[in-house]
Amino acid sequence: MSAISVGQAAVLGVVEGVTEFLPVSSTGHLKITEGLMNIPVDDQSVVGFSAVIQVGAIAAVLVYFFKDIKRIVSAWGRGLTNKNERYHHDYKFAWWVIYSTIPIVLVGLAAKPLIDGPLGSLWVVGGSLIAGSVVMWCADQMGRHKRGEDDTSFKDAMLVGCSQILALLFPGFSRSGATMSTALILDLDRVAATRLSFFLGIPALTGAGIYELKDALGAGVGAAPLAVGTIVSFVVAYGSIAWLLKFVAKHSFNAFVIYRIVIGLALFGLLAAGTINA
């Protein structure tokens, strides 16, 4: 019998789609939802399922930013064979995305037993939600929001890319939250920070989904729940991306900060009361 039913997969797909790119932690929300549905959050197949349905959200990014991605990949391809093209920002940016993904891959492989085990506890999720909120608020206040996407550098990409490790080790911190906060500290404006977070997440999240697919299928999640969760995630994530870009163009991140703190405190309350299992 599948560890996750089709109905549960659809619910988790909605949660993934809504939260993957909002700075509120998709992993944290998935684990909380799994706990509320009595799905074991540390089960290997469940961990794998959560990683696989992220591919649906990443597919939404590929579709939404197709023209941008096509332009960047084309510039990279031309630069491989034409030296003159290597001065183009898009060519450099493509390499920066590749280089900035290497640290999270190495840490992910080395720390996988901890990530799948003790660091996956809902107590860690609650603490990370609150700690990440403090970081995000400070970053939004400190940042001067004066640099656009064309002003990004190799240093920016590496620092923002490495910040993804925080979310990897501490589910609840939020990959989007960590990357956006780092970009804001580097004085990128909110839209540039958000778009950079999207682009840097493509290889890391896609790789994680492909890597975990065998565990999800082999350890107890059927093909049907995986397909449903991934498709639902794609549809919902597409709408979430469009909304977020419009929101950050006119608003600060304070709403997300408050929301994360409320969810973190509520999670601590549920865990202390024994309503859900850590």
Side-chain angles (χ1 to χ4, degrees):
M1 186 175 180
S2 175
I4 298 175
S5 69
V6 171
Q8 290 172 329
V11 172
L12 294 173
V14 171
V15 173
E16 165 63 23
V18 170
T19 62
E20 179 59 57
F21 301 111
L22 302 186
V24 297
S25 176
S26 63
T27 302
H29 278 74
L30 284 172
K31 287 183 176 293
I32 292 170
T33 306
E34 289 161 0
L36 291 172
M37 293 193 295
N38 293 318
I39 299 172
V41 297
D42 58 348
D43 185 286
Q44 190 62 46
S45 65
V46 176
V47 173
F49 172 87
S50 298
V52 171
I53 64 172
Q54 287 178 339
V55 176
I58 287 298
V61 172
L62 295 176
V63 173
Y64 192 90
F65 293 107
F66 178 76
K67 291 183 179 179
D68 295 296
I69 294 170
K70 181 182 178 181
R71 188 190 73 244
I72 293 168
V73 173
S74 296
W76 182 71
R78 291 194 304 271
L80 292 177
T81 56
N82 187 336
K83 186 177 181 180
N84 293 329
E85 294 286 342
R86 295 173 190 173
Y87 297 99
H88 197 288
H89 184 269
D90 286 340
Y91 171 79
K92 296 177 182 179
F93 185 77
W95 277 115
W96 298 344
V97 171
I98 294 171
Y99 293 147
S100 64
T101 302
I102 294 174
I104 192 174
V105 172
L106 295 178
V107 173
L109 293 174
K112 193 174 189 302
L114 286 174
I115 296 168
D116 292 348
L119 290 179
S121 167
L122 289 179
W123 287 105
V124 175
V125 171
S128 299
L129 277 165
I130 296 173
S133 300
V134 175
V135 172
M136 188 183 301
W137 184 84
C138 291
D140 207 13
Q141 299 302 309
M142 292 168 54
R144 289 178 286 179
H145 315 293
K146 66 176 184 177
R147 300 171 57 209
E149 188 174 344
D150 291 337
D151 299 319
T152 55
S153 65
F154 173 68
K155 176 184 175 182
D156 296 329
M158 287 302 297
L159 289 174
V160 174
C162 287
S163 70
Q164 296 178 108
I165 295 172
L166 284 171
L168 182 68
L169 296 178
F170 304 105
F173 202 94
S174 171
R175 190 202 65 82
S176 295
T179 52
M180 291 177 191
S181 295
T182 303
L184 290 173
I185 291 172
L186 294 170
D187 293 330
L188 269 70
D189 63 49
R190 295 186 182 98
V191 174
T194 302
R195 285 173 59 90
L196 182 59
S197 174
F198 287 150
F199 290 131
L200 292 182
I202 292 172
L205 295 177
T206 301
I210 294 172
Y211 181 80
E212 295 284 2
L213 180 60
K214 66 181 187 306
D215 291 331
L217 287 172
V221 176
L226 275 174
V228 169
T230 303
I231 292 170
V232 172
S233 171
F234 167 80
V235 174
V236 176
Y238 190 91
S240 179
I241 292 168
W243 176 84
L244 180 61
L245 287 171
K246 291 179 180 178
F247 180 86
V248 298
K250 299 179 180 180
H251 302 86
S252 72
F253 287 98
N254 289 344
F256 297 117
V257 170
I258 295 171
Y259 172 80
R260 288 169 56 104
I261 292 174
V262 170
I263 293 297
L265 292 175
L267 178 57
F268 280 147
L270 291 171
L271 289 168
T275 305
I276 57 176
N277 193 307

